[in-house]
Amino acid sequence: MTRVRTVAVIGGGIAGPVAALALRKAGIEATVYESHPTTADGVGGTIAIAPNGMAALDIVGAAAPAAEVSWPVHRQVMTVGRKRLDLPGLAGAGPLHVVQRSDLYRILAADVPIQYGKRLVNAVQGAGGVTAAFADGDEIEADVLIGADGVHSTVRRLIDPAAPGPHFTGMVAMEGRSPLTVPEEPGTMIFAFGKRGFYLYGPALGGGTTFGVNLPHRPLTVAEARAIPSPRWKETLLEVYGSDTPGGDLIRALPAEELTVNGALHIMPPVPHWYRGRMVLTGDAVHAPSNSSGQGASLSIESAIELAQCLRDIPDVTDAFRHYESLRRARVEKVAARAARTNSVKAPGPIGRALMPIIMRAFMRFAMNPEKVIGPEQRYRIDWAKTL
Ligand SMILES: Cc1cc2nc3c(=O)[nH]c(=O)nc-3n(C[C@H](O)[C@H](O)[C@H](O)COP(=O)(O)OP(=O)(O)OC[C@H]3O[C@@H](n4cnc5c(N)ncnc54)[C@H](O)[C@@H]3O)c2cc1C
């Protein structure tokens, strides 16, 4: 029988609510504390959940509702200028599921207690538990505290003040739904290397074309990015993508006010300490592999569930956290390393730009071997029924 009875989960994004769902399934009381004042209804862009992420969501009962509101991607194509390459899929692995972020949050939050407007500012550990302090002056106690508070995690600094922070990838993300249609089958996603930047697009559910850009840019915060008026962002996008086909036309046809600014894209370097005492990290707080992996959300869901499984089966908290790290570290660092290679192709430095034709040929060859490249990522399955 586990000694952990109560868990405070900091962060109500993806990893936090999934951890709480899995803990409650394991018979452990869990409450989520989220800094935003309200739910994320209608806010944010889209996110693609990989087959491994859907399989993990199934353990907490969220895969079917997520699939219902998603757009399945059955075909992926890469274009480099006019060159077009069908990316072979993983046999029998199932599609990617593209879902509105706010829909996923709503599904995950339906069955867990979440307190909004609770920004964690400090946590103090005692012999048998943790006292968490919030910006509004409230304090709560729990046996264990999980930091699922994203790439700029406060809990990561509380665990280790010298912990590394996220690295900026050199790109800013934006997305929109252009009224233009593209001559592609529904369920197709195109990954396009334009003349000066990377973008992706595909036919949108209900008409038009969904597109997203990874715009090469100087670092800036989400607040700074959103403070720039959308007509100004549209001009910048046209400077970079204006002569790309169909990228330039998709952007020109989109009313500027319908552009969603997601903000700067980050990647986490390896984090030396995943836990200390009764505090532990999960999700982007400890392993954000950047959007280029297509795995950030899926790995967050997996880690949250495997952490809950360790707390369910291993009575000593330190042993449970040690086992959790041993299950997850190599896997998540490998995915981040793959994504870092992709980032260097999307946003090359001066030497990278000169070597781009050679790099691109190697990159395309690499993409043609999905079983080796993404097979281990997407075929991963958690055995929840197994006792650790
Ligand atoms: C533009 C973009 C596109 C992406 N596309 C994909 C994709 O297609 N597929 C994919 O798998 N991944 C994608 N990702 C990555 C994915 O979004 C993340 O990996 C995932 O959201 C991580 O979930 P999380 O719960 O760990 O962190 P988050 O989703 O960042 O949630 C953290 C939560 O903690 C809260 N919080 C922060 N600090 C505190 C505090 N002190 N106190 C209380 N609460 C706090 C935040 O408000 C937030 O709600 C993308 C990321 C970006 C930026």
Side-chain angles (χ1 to χ4, degrees):
M1 185 70 185
T2 177
R3 284 184 218 141
V4 171
R5 293 169 297 108
T6 58
V7 175
V9 182
I10 307 302
I14 296 173
V18 170
L21 285 168
L23 286 163
R24 288 162 73 85
K25 192 176 164 89
I28 300 170
E29 204 184 299
T31 303
V32 177
Y33 299 89
E34 164 57 44
S35 58
H36 277 120
T38 56
T39 58
D41 280 353
V43 180
T46 52
I47 191 162
I49 312 285
N52 53 304
M54 290 302 282
L57 276 182
D58 196 37
I59 293 171
V60 292
E68 256 174 50
V69 294
S70 79
W71 155 48
V73 174
H74 295 283
R75 182 172 178 216
Q76 298 179 44
V77 176
M78 186 161 91
T79 63
V80 184
R82 290 210 186 116
K83 276 206 190 86
R84 189 180 161 101
L85 187 71
D86 255 286
L87 299 176
L90 274 184
L96 296 180
H97 284 84
V98 179
V99 65
Q100 288 292 333
R101 219 173 248 274
S102 55
D103 283 341
L104 182 61
Y105 290 166
R106 178 178 44 74
I107 289 164
L108 297 177
D111 291 322
V112 284
I114 302 193
Q115 295 196 19
Y116 292 95
K118 293 288 178 198
R119 173 173 294 281
L120 180 91
V121 289
N122 198 15
V124 178
Q125 310 203 47
V130 185
T131 304
F134 296 95
D136 62 2
D138 265 7
E139 285 193 354
I140 55 105
E141 292 189 359
D143 295 342
V144 157
L145 182 139
I146 295 179
D149 50 345
V151 76
H152 301 290
S153 172
T154 299
V155 180
R156 190 173 61 230
R157 273 189 290 108
L158 291 170
I159 287 178
D160 174 12
H167 291 172
F168 175 54
T169 60
M171 295 176 284
V172 167
M174 275 166 243
E175 63 180 272
R177 177 171 162 177
S178 175
L180 278 192
T181 51
V182 285
E184 304 287 350
E185 290 289 309
T188 305
M189 176 92 84
I190 318 287
F191 300 96
F193 289 86
K195 293 187 189 75
R196 293 175 54 199
F198 173 86
Y199 64 106
L200 73 173
Y201 63 95
L205 277 186
T209 304
T210 294
F211 74 91
V213 299
N214 289 180
L215 174 75
H217 205 274
R218 64 176 171 79
L220 81 178
T221 64
V222 176
E224 288 167 343
R226 291 186 180 154
I228 295 173
S230 49
R232 178 72 201 106
W233 272 129
K234 185 170 167 179
E235 280 170 28
T236 306
L237 292 187
L238 286 173
E239 280 161 25
V240 174
Y241 299 99
S243 63
D244 288 329
T245 305
D249 296 330
L250 293 173
I251 295 164
R252 267 184 288 276
L254 179 80
E257 62 280 7
E258 288 177 26
L259 201 57
T260 300
V261 180
N262 296 318
L265 294 165
H266 292 96
I267 187 164
M268 272 306 292
V271 172
H273 302 288
W274 282 40
Y275 59 90
R276 180 168 64 85
R278 291 181 163 262
M279 298 197 287
V280 64
L281 298 168
T282 198
D284 268 15
V286 68
H287 55 57
S290 89
N291 66 311
S292 293
S293 67
Q295 279 286 341
S298 297
L299 290 183
S300 295
I301 295 163
E302 286 179 5
S303 287
I305 291 174
E306 295 209 87
L307 173 57
Q309 192 174 19
C310 290
L311 287 169
R312 178 194 70 184
D313 293 346
I314 304 173
D316 180 80
V317 169
T318 308
D319 288 346
F321 291 169
R322 191 180 296 122
H323 194 69
Y324 159 65
E325 182 179 345
S326 76
L327 289 174
R328 301 299 302 161
R329 186 186 273 279
R331 171 166 173 75
V332 299
E333 288 181 358
K334 197 166 175 191
V335 174
R338 176 180 69 75
R341 289 193 290 276
T342 305
N343 285 337
S344 66
V345 179
K346 284 182 178 177
I351 299 174
R353 266 197 295 278
L355 296 173
M356 194 43 77
I358 302 165
I359 295 173
M360 229 39 236
R361 273 199 296 278
F363 188 71
M364 286 170 106
R365 263 202 312 277
F366 189 64
M368 293 310 280
N369 192 346
E371 200 55 63
K372 189 163 170 218
V373 181
I374 53 169
E377 294 177 10
Q378 298 199 0
R379 295 199 189 281
Y380 189 85
R381 296 293 178 269
I382 298 168
D383 184 358
W384 179 259
K386 178 176 153 191
T387 303
L388 299 175

PDB file of all heavy atoms in Angstrom, residues 272-298:
ATOM      1  N   PRO A 272      19.386  18.133 -14.765  1.00  0.00           N
ATOM      2  CA  PRO A 272      20.158  17.224 -13.904  1.00  0.00           C
ATOM      3  C   PRO A 272      19.320  16.574 -12.805  1.00  0.00           C
ATOM      4  O   PRO A 272      19.491  15.402 -12.511  1.00  0.00           O
ATOM      5  CB  PRO A 272      21.240  18.119 -13.296  1.00  0.00           C
ATOM      6  CG  PRO A 272      21.292  19.341 -14.134  1.00  0.00           C
ATOM      7  CD  PRO A 272      19.954  19.496 -14.794  1.00  0.00           C
ATOM      8  N   HIS A 273      18.430  17.359 -12.177  1.00  0.00           N
ATOM      9  CA  HIS A 273      17.678  16.816 -11.024  1.00  0.00           C
ATOM     10  C   HIS A 273      16.183  16.827 -11.320  1.00  0.00           C
ATOM     11  O   HIS A 273      15.572  17.896 -11.392  1.00  0.00           O
ATOM     12  CB  HIS A 273      17.991  17.622  -9.765  1.00  0.00           C
ATOM     13  CG  HIS A 273      19.450  17.629  -9.453  1.00  0.00           C
ATOM     14  ND1 HIS A 273      20.115  16.514  -8.973  1.00  0.00           N
ATOM     15  CD2 HIS A 273      20.393  18.595  -9.611  1.00  0.00           C
ATOM     16  CE1 HIS A 273      21.389  16.796  -8.832  1.00  0.00           C
ATOM     17  NE2 HIS A 273      21.593  18.044  -9.213  1.00  0.00           N
ATOM     18  N   TRP A 274      15.608  15.657 -11.482  1.00  0.00           N
ATOM     19  CA  TRP A 274      14.173  15.556 -11.784  1.00  0.00           C
ATOM     20  C   TRP A 274      13.337  15.660 -10.509  1.00  0.00           C
ATOM     21  O   TRP A 274      12.142  15.898 -10.570  1.00  0.00           O
ATOM     22  CB  TRP A 274      13.881  14.211 -12.451  1.00  0.00           C
ATOM     23  CG  TRP A 274      14.250  14.144 -13.902  1.00  0.00           C
ATOM     24  CD1 TRP A 274      15.358  14.663 -14.506  1.00  0.00           C
ATOM     25  CD2 TRP A 274      13.489  13.520 -14.945  1.00  0.00           C
ATOM     26  NE1 TRP A 274      15.338  14.391 -15.851  1.00  0.00           N
ATOM     27  CE2 TRP A 274      14.213  13.686 -16.137  1.00  0.00           C
ATOM     28  CE3 TRP A 274      12.279  12.813 -14.981  1.00  0.00           C
ATOM     29  CZ2 TRP A 274      13.750  13.184 -17.372  1.00  0.00           C
ATOM     30  CZ3 TRP A 274      11.828  12.320 -16.196  1.00  0.00           C
ATOM     31  CH2 TRP A 274      12.555  12.505 -17.373  1.00  0.00           C
ATOM     32  N   TYR A 275      13.959  15.460  -9.356  1.00  0.00           N
ATOM     33  CA  TYR A 275      13.207  15.474  -8.096  1.00  0.00           C
ATOM     34  C   TYR A 275      14.140  15.845  -6.952  1.00  0.00           C
ATOM     35  O   TYR A 275      15.374  15.756  -7.081  1.00  0.00           O
ATOM     36  CB  TYR A 275      12.571  14.092  -7.823  1.00  0.00           C
ATOM     37  CG  TYR A 275      13.575  12.965  -7.733  1.00  0.00           C
ATOM     38  CD1 TYR A 275      14.155  12.616  -6.519  1.00  0.00           C
ATOM     39  CD2 TYR A 275      13.973  12.267  -8.872  1.00  0.00           C
ATOM     40  CE1 TYR A 275      15.096  11.594  -6.436  1.00  0.00           C
ATOM     41  CE2 TYR A 275      14.911  11.246  -8.800  1.00  0.00           C
ATOM     42  CZ  TYR A 275      15.464  10.911  -7.581  1.00  0.00           C
ATOM     43  OH  TYR A 275      16.395   9.911  -7.496  1.00  0.00           O
ATOM     44  N   ARG A 276      13.553  16.293  -5.880  1.00  0.00           N
ATOM     45  CA  ARG A 276      14.303  16.489  -4.631  1.00  0.00           C
ATOM     46  C   ARG A 276      13.311  16.316  -3.504  1.00  0.00           C
ATOM     47  O   ARG A 276      12.238  16.931  -3.515  1.00  0.00           O
ATOM     48  CB  ARG A 276      14.940  17.887  -4.566  1.00  0.00           C
ATOM     49  CG  ARG A 276      15.740  18.138  -3.285  1.00  0.00           C
ATOM     50  CD  ARG A 276      16.580  19.409  -3.386  1.00  0.00           C
ATOM     51  NE  ARG A 276      15.772  20.606  -3.513  1.00  0.00           N
ATOM     52  CZ  ARG A 276      15.257  21.282  -2.489  1.00  0.00           C
ATOM     53  NH1 ARG A 276      15.464  20.880  -1.241  1.00  0.00           N
ATOM     54  NH2 ARG A 276      14.547  22.364  -2.699  1.00  0.00           N
ATOM     55  N   GLY A 277      13.643  15.443  -2.550  1.00  0.00           N
ATOM     56  CA  GLY A 277      12.732  15.201  -1.426  1.00  0.00           C
ATOM     57  C   GLY A 277      11.375  14.745  -1.930  1.00  0.00           C
ATOM     58  O   GLY A 277      11.254  13.728  -2.606  1.00  0.00           O
ATOM     59  N   ARG A 278      10.358  15.552  -1.671  1.00  0.00           N
ATOM     60  CA  ARG A 278       8.982  15.184  -2.027  1.00  0.00           C
ATOM     61  C   ARG A 278       8.453  16.001  -3.198  1.00  0.00           C
ATOM     62  O   ARG A 278       7.242  16.068  -3.416  1.00  0.00           O
ATOM     63  CB  ARG A 278       8.084  15.346  -0.799  1.00  0.00           C
ATOM     64  CG  ARG A 278       8.427  14.308   0.250  1.00  0.00           C
ATOM     65  CD  ARG A 278       7.589  14.371   1.471  1.00  0.00           C
ATOM     66  NE  ARG A 278       7.747  13.093   2.165  1.00  0.00           N
ATOM     67  CZ  ARG A 278       6.884  12.090   2.056  1.00  0.00           C
ATOM     68  NH1 ARG A 278       5.806  12.194   1.334  1.00  0.00           N
ATOM     69  NH2 ARG A 278       7.113  10.946   2.700  1.00  0.00           N
ATOM     70  N   MET A 279       9.379  16.637  -3.936  1.00  0.00           N
ATOM     71  CA  MET A 279       8.960  17.410  -5.121  1.00  0.00           C
ATOM     72  C   MET A 279       9.544  16.762  -6.372  1.00  0.00           C
ATOM     73  O   MET A 279      10.710  16.355  -6.385  1.00  0.00           O
ATOM     74  CB  MET A 279       9.458  18.845  -5.017  1.00  0.00           C
ATOM     75  CG  MET A 279       8.889  19.593  -3.821  1.00  0.00           C
ATOM     76  SD  MET A 279       9.091  21.373  -3.973  1.00  0.00           S
ATOM     77  CE  MET A 279      10.835  21.564  -3.684  1.00  0.00           C
ATOM     78  N   VAL A 280       8.759  16.711  -7.437  1.00  0.00           N
ATOM     79  CA  VAL A 280       9.171  16.026  -8.658  1.00  0.00           C
ATOM     80  C   VAL A 280       8.591  16.770  -9.858  1.00  0.00           C
ATOM     81  O   VAL A 280       7.572  17.457  -9.740  1.00  0.00           O
ATOM     82  CB  VAL A 280       8.697  14.543  -8.622  1.00  0.00           C
ATOM     83  CG1 VAL A 280       7.174  14.432  -8.596  1.00  0.00           C
ATOM     84  CG2 VAL A 280       9.252  13.723  -9.773  1.00  0.00           C
ATOM     85  N   LEU A 281       9.267  16.618 -10.992  1.00  0.00           N
ATOM     86  CA  LEU A 281       8.844  17.328 -12.213  1.00  0.00           C
ATOM     87  C   LEU A 281       8.236  16.366 -13.230  1.00  0.00           C
ATOM     88  O   LEU A 281       8.635  15.201 -13.313  1.00  0.00           O
ATOM     89  CB  LEU A 281      10.047  18.000 -12.857  1.00  0.00           C
ATOM     90  CG  LEU A 281      10.751  19.075 -12.028  1.00  0.00           C
ATOM     91  CD1 LEU A 281      12.084  19.448 -12.653  1.00  0.00           C
ATOM     92  CD2 LEU A 281       9.854  20.304 -11.891  1.00  0.00           C
ATOM     93  N   THR A 282       7.319  16.905 -14.041  1.00  0.00           N
ATOM     94  CA  THR A 282       6.822  16.116 -15.177  1.00  0.00           C
ATOM     95  C   THR A 282       6.452  17.052 -16.325  1.00  0.00           C
ATOM     96  O   THR A 282       6.325  18.259 -16.148  1.00  0.00           O
ATOM     97  CB  THR A 282       5.638  15.215 -14.750  1.00  0.00           C
ATOM     98  OG1 THR A 282       5.472  14.194 -15.737  1.00  0.00           O
ATOM     99  CG2 THR A 282       4.334  15.982 -14.598  1.00  0.00           C
ATOM    100  N   GLY A 283       6.292  16.489 -17.520  1.00  0.00           N
ATOM    101  CA  GLY A 283       5.900  17.289 -18.695  1.00  0.00           C
ATOM    102  C   GLY A 283       7.017  18.230 -19.125  1.00  0.00           C
ATOM    103  O   GLY A 283       8.200  18.009 -18.860  1.00  0.00           O
ATOM    104  N   ASP A 284       6.605  19.330 -19.783  1.00  0.00           N
ATOM    105  CA  ASP A 284       7.570  20.292 -20.321  1.00  0.00           C
ATOM    106  C   ASP A 284       8.494  20.866 -19.245  1.00  0.00           C
ATOM    107  O   ASP A 284       9.590  21.328 -19.553  1.00  0.00           O
ATOM    108  CB  ASP A 284       6.824  21.477 -20.960  1.00  0.00           C
ATOM    109  CG  ASP A 284       6.577  21.274 -22.454  1.00  0.00           C
ATOM    110  OD1 ASP A 284       6.724  20.135 -22.929  1.00  0.00           O
ATOM    111  OD2 ASP A 284       6.232  22.257 -23.128  1.00  0.00           O
ATOM    112  N   ALA A 285       8.075  20.849 -17.999  1.00  0.00           N
ATOM    113  CA  ALA A 285       8.916  21.380 -16.917  1.00  0.00           C
ATOM    114  C   ALA A 285      10.255  20.649 -16.870  1.00  0.00           C
ATOM    115  O   ALA A 285      11.264  21.218 -16.478  1.00  0.00           O
ATOM    116  CB  ALA A 285       8.186  21.235 -15.579  1.00  0.00           C
ATOM    117  N   VAL A 286      10.275  19.401 -17.315  1.00  0.00           N
ATOM    118  CA  VAL A 286      11.517  18.621 -17.232  1.00  0.00           C
ATOM    119  C   VAL A 286      12.007  18.109 -18.589  1.00  0.00           C
ATOM    120  O   VAL A 286      13.183  17.802 -18.749  1.00  0.00           O
ATOM    121  CB  VAL A 286      11.362  17.457 -16.212  1.00  0.00           C
ATOM    122  CG1 VAL A 286      10.394  16.399 -16.681  1.00  0.00           C
ATOM    123  CG2 VAL A 286      12.697  16.854 -15.823  1.00  0.00           C
ATOM    124  N   HIS A 287      11.130  18.088 -19.611  1.00  0.00           N
ATOM    125  CA  HIS A 287      11.620  17.539 -20.891  1.00  0.00           C
ATOM    126  C   HIS A 287      10.921  18.109 -22.125  1.00  0.00           C
ATOM    127  O   HIS A 287      10.533  17.353 -23.014  1.00  0.00           O
ATOM    128  CB  HIS A 287      11.537  16.007 -20.894  1.00  0.00           C
ATOM    129  CG  HIS A 287      10.176  15.436 -20.580  1.00  0.00           C
ATOM    130  ND1 HIS A 287       9.060  15.752 -21.308  1.00  0.00           N
ATOM    131  CD2 HIS A 287       9.770  14.553 -19.640  1.00  0.00           C
ATOM    132  CE1 HIS A 287       8.023  15.070 -20.817  1.00  0.00           C
ATOM    133  NE2 HIS A 287       8.419  14.345 -19.795  1.00  0.00           N
ATOM    134  N   ALA A 288      10.814  19.423 -22.251  1.00  0.00           N
ATOM    135  CA  ALA A 288      10.169  19.991 -23.445  1.00  0.00           C
ATOM    136  C   ALA A 288      11.030  19.728 -24.682  1.00  0.00           C
ATOM    137  O   ALA A 288      12.123  20.280 -24.797  1.00  0.00           O
ATOM    138  CB  ALA A 288       9.982  21.489 -23.255  1.00  0.00           C
ATOM    139  N   PRO A 289      10.576  18.879 -25.609  1.00  0.00           N
ATOM    140  CA  PRO A 289      11.429  18.522 -26.744  1.00  0.00           C
ATOM    141  C   PRO A 289      11.255  19.459 -27.939  1.00  0.00           C
ATOM    142  O   PRO A 289      11.768  19.172 -29.021  1.00  0.00           O
ATOM    143  CB  PRO A 289      10.930  17.114 -27.097  1.00  0.00           C
ATOM    144  CG  PRO A 289       9.485  17.137 -26.740  1.00  0.00           C
ATOM    145  CD  PRO A 289       9.322  18.120 -25.600  1.00  0.00           C
ATOM    146  N   SER A 290      10.511  20.553 -27.754  1.00  0.00           N
ATOM    147  CA  SER A 290      10.187  21.547 -28.793  1.00  0.00           C
ATOM    148  C   SER A 290       9.152  20.979 -29.747  1.00  0.00           C
ATOM    149  O   SER A 290       9.025  19.769 -29.936  1.00  0.00           O
ATOM    150  CB  SER A 290      11.424  22.058 -29.562  1.00  0.00           C
ATOM    151  OG  SER A 290      11.713  21.274 -30.685  1.00  0.00           O
ATOM    152  N   ASN A 291       8.442  21.911 -30.389  1.00  0.00           N
ATOM    153  CA  ASN A 291       7.334  21.506 -31.264  1.00  0.00           C
ATOM    154  C   ASN A 291       7.830  20.672 -32.443  1.00  0.00           C
ATOM    155  O   ASN A 291       7.055  19.906 -33.022  1.00  0.00           O
ATOM    156  CB  ASN A 291       6.589  22.750 -31.764  1.00  0.00           C
ATOM    157  CG  ASN A 291       7.475  23.582 -32.660  1.00  0.00           C
ATOM    158  OD1 ASN A 291       8.610  23.874 -32.310  1.00  0.00           O
ATOM    159  ND2 ASN A 291       6.982  23.931 -33.815  1.00  0.00           N
ATOM    160  N   SER A 292       9.112  20.788 -32.802  1.00  0.00           N
ATOM    161  CA  SER A 292       9.626  20.051 -33.970  1.00  0.00           C
ATOM    162  C   SER A 292       9.586  18.545 -33.777  1.00  0.00           C
ATOM    163  O   SER A 292       9.689  17.790 -34.745  1.00  0.00           O
ATOM    164  CB  SER A 292      11.066  20.461 -34.270  1.00  0.00           C
ATOM    165  OG  SER A 292      11.083  21.785 -34.700  1.00  0.00           O
ATOM    166  N   SER A 293       9.485  18.092 -32.532  1.00  0.00           N
ATOM    167  CA  SER A 293       9.428  16.644 -32.287  1.00  0.00           C
ATOM    168  C   SER A 293       8.043  16.093 -32.583  1.00  0.00           C
ATOM    169  O   SER A 293       7.895  14.899 -32.862  1.00  0.00           O
ATOM    170  CB  SER A 293       9.759  16.347 -30.819  1.00  0.00           C
ATOM    171  OG  SER A 293       8.727  16.860 -29.978  1.00  0.00           O
ATOM    172  N   GLY A 294       7.002  16.932 -32.510  1.00  0.00           N
ATOM    173  CA  GLY A 294       5.617  16.429 -32.602  1.00  0.00           C
ATOM    174  C   GLY A 294       5.282  15.534 -31.426  1.00  0.00           C
ATOM    175  O   GLY A 294       4.321  14.773 -31.459  1.00  0.00           O
ATOM    176  N   GLN A 295       6.089  15.606 -30.360  1.00  0.00           N
ATOM    177  CA  GLN A 295       5.946  14.664 -29.245  1.00  0.00           C
ATOM    178  C   GLN A 295       5.778  15.340 -27.886  1.00  0.00           C
ATOM    179  O   GLN A 295       5.627  14.655 -26.886  1.00  0.00           O
ATOM    180  CB  GLN A 295       7.184  13.748 -29.187  1.00  0.00           C
ATOM    181  CG  GLN A 295       7.154  12.585 -30.165  1.00  0.00           C
ATOM    182  CD  GLN A 295       6.172  11.484 -29.746  1.00  0.00           C
ATOM    183  OE1 GLN A 295       5.768  11.393 -28.601  1.00  0.00           O
ATOM    184  NE2 GLN A 295       5.774  10.640 -30.680  1.00  0.00           N
ATOM    185  N   GLY A 296       5.815  16.678 -27.830  1.00  0.00           N
ATOM    186  CA  GLY A 296       5.802  17.356 -26.523  1.00  0.00           C
ATOM    187  C   GLY A 296       4.616  16.954 -25.668  1.00  0.00           C
ATOM    188  O   GLY A 296       4.763  16.556 -24.507  1.00  0.00           O
ATOM    189  N   ALA A 297       3.434  17.039 -26.257  1.00  0.00           N
ATOM    190  CA  ALA A 297       2.227  16.706 -25.502  1.00  0.00           C
ATOM    191  C   ALA A 297       2.185  15.210 -25.195  1.00  0.00           C
ATOM    192  O   ALA A 297       1.862  14.804 -24.072  1.00  0.00           O
ATOM    193  CB  ALA A 297       0.993  17.120 -26.286  1.00  0.00           C
ATOM    194  N   SER A 298       2.540  14.404 -26.193  1.00  0.00           N
ATOM    195  CA  SER A 298       2.445  12.942 -26.007  1.00  0.00           C
ATOM    196  C   SER A 298       3.408  12.458 -24.920  1.00  0.00           C
ATOM    197  O   SER A 298       3.047  11.632 -24.078  1.00  0.00           O
ATOM    198  CB  SER A 298       2.724  12.225 -27.336  1.00  0.00           C
ATOM    199  OG  SER A 298       1.725  12.586 -28.273  1.00  0.00           O
TER     200      SER A 298
END
